Amino acid sequence: GRFRGEIEFRNVWFAYEGEDWVLKDVSFKVEPGETVALVGATGAGKTSIINLICRFYDVNRGQILVDGVDIRDMRQSDLRRQIGVVQQDVFLFSGDIKYNIRLNDTEIDDEKIREVARYTNAHRFIETKPNKYDEEVTERGGTLSAGQRQLLAFARALAFDPAILILDEATSAVDTETESLIQDALEKITRGRTTIIIAHRLSTVQHADKIIVLHKGRIRECGTHEELLEKRGLYYKLYLL
Ligand code: DCP
Ligand code: MG
């Protein structure tokens, strides 16, 4: 069945092979349907948190629980269907747009591809391409802009209607029209889903139910935008100085 989408980190310690600790005693809980923003300086450990939830790596100490179950005891195929991921550098495959949404999943037919593309606002730019859904792209994007690649990645991540959505927000600048399409899509696709988003834009952070501020692999602060501003700590410095 569908996950409820609760995520809990319990005293997680993590280091990449042979390196120093990247995450140190990290504990937090995300309730089903909540949107949590991860913020912090470069190297703070934000992407590493995502890498662990997706099981690209496993924790060294502690536990990560989804719906109360240690993710090491879950089937990879369940995790892949219930957790949609959009990486910072959107990875495309050479092939057409359709292929880049469904990949090798034959369960996802043309109808479903269109539905999910509409839902994520990708449909609009796809319609402007000479070959529409059959437009060929390359690994480096081809004729797609950074923003369009992002919208395409949303569609790919949403194809299975995952209970959990993990987003590493793109840092690259996009044109204002695409930017507003992305913002609009973000509001839509995060609704009713547990979302963890590495946020670089203040607009995204402000909308989060909870903000986790990482500093050198530790959680330094946690709270809403207003609470953290009031504190005048690291978050305040990151966003206002
Ligand atoms: N690191 C590593 N090996 C990897 C990936 C990262 O040793 N394969 C190191 C680099 C950093 C630390 O881990 O010192 C944390 O890296 P993250 O990618 O988790 O950091 P952020 O995502 O917070 O940084 P950025 O904002 O630059 O994306
Ligand atoms: Mg990162």
Side-chain angles (χ1 to χ4, degrees):
R2 198 169 193 261
F3 287 11
R4 284 185 301 119
E6 180 194 274
I7 303 170
E8 186 180 359
F9 271 55
R10 275 195 202 153
N11 309 102
V12 168
W13 289 78
F14 173 67
Y16 292 97
E17 188 76 47
E19 303 287 329
D20 293 335
W21 292 117
V22 163
L23 295 175
K24 303 167 190 164
D25 202 26
V26 169
S27 298
F28 65 87
K29 191 169 174 181
V30 189
E31 302 296 338
E34 259 188 344
T35 296
V36 166
L38 293 177
V39 303
T42 178
K46 305 179 296 294
T47 300
S48 301
I49 285 183
I50 284 182
N51 287 343
L52 293 178
I53 298 171
C54 298
R55 287 205 69 198
F56 299 145
Y57 297 89
D58 277 324
V59 303
N60 295 96
R61 296 186 206 158
Q63 273 187 305
I64 300 171
L65 307 160
V66 170
D67 292 355
V69 178
D70 191 313
I71 59 171
R72 286 170 294 194
D73 297 330
M74 293 178 136
R75 280 206 304 252
Q76 285 276 16
S77 57
D78 284 340
L79 283 174
R80 227 171 297 128
R81 274 164 179 265
Q82 306 257 355
I83 304 181
V85 189
V86 177
Q87 305 276 71
Q88 193 164 9
D89 303 305
V90 172
F91 195 81
L92 296 180
F93 301 89
S94 52
D96 58 20
I97 284 182
K98 272 196 288 204
Y99 177 73
N100 272 279
I101 293 176
R102 74 169 153 73
L103 301 183
N104 290 319
D105 242 296
T106 44
E107 263 177 61
I108 302 172
D109 58 17
D110 286 9
E111 199 51 47
K112 179 74 190 168
I113 290 171
R114 269 160 210 279
E115 183 193 316
V116 81
R118 279 209 184 82
Y119 178 59
T120 55
N121 286 348
H123 181 72
R124 269 194 260 178
F125 88 76
I126 295 170
E127 286 291 302
T128 68
K129 300 294 175 191
N131 300 307
K132 312 221 152 92
Y133 284 82
D134 300 319
E135 182 82 3
E136 294 286 322
V137 302
T138 63
E139 280 165 43
R140 311 189 63 203
T143 62
L144 305 191
S145 72
Q148 291 173 342
R149 286 203 297 274
Q150 187 83 13
L151 291 172
L152 197 56
F154 286 172
R156 185 194 292 165
L158 271 279
F160 281 111
D161 188 23
I164 296 170
L165 189 58
I166 309 280
L167 304 168
D168 206 338
E169 193 172 63
T171 37
S172 48
V174 301
D175 61 88
T176 44
E177 194 195 325
T178 312
E179 167 79 37
S180 77
L181 281 179
I182 289 175
Q183 275 308 322
D184 179 74
L186 266 182
E187 277 167 41
K188 240 186 334 180
I189 67 183
T190 59
R191 218 176 288 151
R193 262 180 254 282
T194 306
T195 308
I196 297 187
I197 181 163
I198 295 178
H200 300 287
R201 297 179 180 84
L202 189 56
S203 57
T204 311
V205 188
Q206 278 175 317
H207 283 116
D209 295 306
K210 195 153 76 190
I211 301 156
I212 293 174
V213 186
L214 282 166
H215 181 68
K216 295 183 178 167
R218 284 187 192 271
I219 294 182
R220 172 67 84 83
E221 293 166 354
C222 182
T224 64
H225 177 70
E226 288 73 23
E227 286 165 356
L228 292 176
L229 283 188
E230 196 125 312
K231 240 185 159 154
R232 304 218 162 202
L234 186 57
Y235 180 79
Y236 180 85
K237 275 195 207 150
L238 279 171
Y239 282 96
L240 291 172
L241 293 186

mmCIF file of all heavy atoms in Angstrom, residues 42-43 45-48 88 168 198 200, ligand 2:
data_model
loop_
_atom_site.group_PDB
_atom_site.id
_atom_site.type_symbol
_atom_site.label_atom_id
_atom_site.label_comp_id
_atom_site.label_asym_id
_atom_site.label_seq_id
_atom_site.Cartn_x
_atom_site.Cartn_y
_atom_site.Cartn_z
ATOM 1 N N THR A 42 27.358 25.661 2.051
ATOM 2 C CA THR A 42 27.864 24.588 1.219
ATOM 3 C C THR A 42 28.741 23.648 2.054
ATOM 4 O O THR A 42 29.504 24.097 2.896
ATOM 5 C CB THR A 42 28.624 25.150 -0.013
ATOM 6 O OG1 THR A 42 29.127 24.056 -0.761
ATOM 7 C CG2 THR A 42 29.779 26.050 0.378
ATOM 8 N N GLY A 43 28.527 22.338 1.854
ATOM 9 C CA GLY A 43 29.278 21.347 2.625
ATOM 10 C C GLY A 43 28.674 21.016 3.981
ATOM 11 O O GLY A 43 29.197 20.189 4.720
ATOM 12 N N GLY A 45 26.041 19.355 4.693
ATOM 13 C CA GLY A 45 25.539 17.984 4.784
ATOM 14 C C GLY A 45 24.131 17.784 4.249
ATOM 15 O O GLY A 45 23.539 16.716 4.412
ATOM 16 N N LYS A 46 23.600 18.791 3.557
ATOM 17 C CA LYS A 46 22.217 18.738 3.076
ATOM 18 C C LYS A 46 21.989 17.589 2.084
ATOM 19 O O LYS A 46 21.091 16.772 2.265
ATOM 20 C CB LYS A 46 21.833 20.086 2.433
ATOM 21 C CG LYS A 46 22.047 21.279 3.339
ATOM 22 C CD LYS A 46 21.682 22.591 2.669
ATOM 23 C CE LYS A 46 22.512 22.975 1.464
ATOM 24 N NZ LYS A 46 23.933 23.277 1.756
ATOM 25 N N THR A 47 22.817 17.556 1.051
ATOM 26 C CA THR A 47 22.657 16.502 0.044
ATOM 27 C C THR A 47 22.911 15.128 0.648
ATOM 28 O O THR A 47 22.273 14.136 0.266
ATOM 29 C CB THR A 47 23.586 16.755 -1.164
ATOM 30 O OG1 THR A 47 23.249 18.014 -1.743
ATOM 31 C CG2 THR A 47 23.445 15.679 -2.230
ATOM 32 N N SER A 48 23.805 15.062 1.622
ATOM 33 C CA SER A 48 24.096 13.773 2.263
ATOM 34 C C SER A 48 22.846 13.221 2.946
ATOM 35 O O SER A 48 22.606 12.005 2.917
ATOM 36 C CB SER A 48 25.235 13.939 3.267
ATOM 37 O OG SER A 48 26.379 14.418 2.607
ATOM 38 N N GLN A 88 19.710 18.006 -7.739
ATOM 39 C CA GLN A 88 20.114 19.372 -8.075
ATOM 40 C C GLN A 88 20.501 19.493 -9.561
ATOM 41 O O GLN A 88 20.041 20.377 -10.259
ATOM 42 C CB GLN A 88 21.311 19.730 -7.202
ATOM 43 C CG GLN A 88 21.675 21.181 -7.189
ATOM 44 C CD GLN A 88 22.604 21.486 -6.026
ATOM 45 O OE1 GLN A 88 23.084 20.584 -5.347
ATOM 46 N NE2 GLN A 88 22.852 22.742 -5.805
ATOM 47 N N ASP A 168 16.171 18.586 -4.385
ATOM 48 C CA ASP A 168 17.361 19.396 -4.209
ATOM 49 C C ASP A 168 17.183 20.555 -5.182
ATOM 50 O O ASP A 168 17.392 20.391 -6.387
ATOM 51 C CB ASP A 168 18.611 18.571 -4.528
ATOM 52 C CG ASP A 168 19.845 19.082 -3.795
ATOM 53 O OD1 ASP A 168 19.851 20.260 -3.403
ATOM 54 O OD2 ASP A 168 20.790 18.300 -3.617
ATOM 55 N N ILE A 198 15.792 20.785 -0.242
ATOM 56 C CA ILE A 198 16.987 21.583 -0.004
ATOM 57 C C ILE A 198 16.728 22.890 -0.726
ATOM 58 O O ILE A 198 16.635 22.922 -1.955
ATOM 59 C CB ILE A 198 18.250 20.902 -0.545
ATOM 60 C CG1 ILE A 198 18.490 19.614 0.227
ATOM 61 C CG2 ILE A 198 19.446 21.845 -0.436
ATOM 62 C CD1 ILE A 198 19.691 18.830 -0.243
ATOM 63 N N HIS A 200 17.231 26.857 -1.747
ATOM 64 C CA HIS A 200 18.195 27.945 -1.922
ATOM 65 C C HIS A 200 17.478 29.278 -2.037
ATOM 66 O O HIS A 200 18.081 30.323 -1.841
ATOM 67 C CB HIS A 200 19.045 27.701 -3.168
ATOM 68 C CG HIS A 200 19.822 26.433 -3.109
ATOM 69 N ND1 HIS A 200 20.921 26.274 -2.311
ATOM 70 C CD2 HIS A 200 19.620 25.231 -3.708
ATOM 71 C CE1 HIS A 200 21.384 25.051 -2.440
ATOM 72 N NE2 HIS A 200 20.606 24.394 -3.285
HETATM 73 MG MG MG B 2 24.152 19.722 -1.937
#
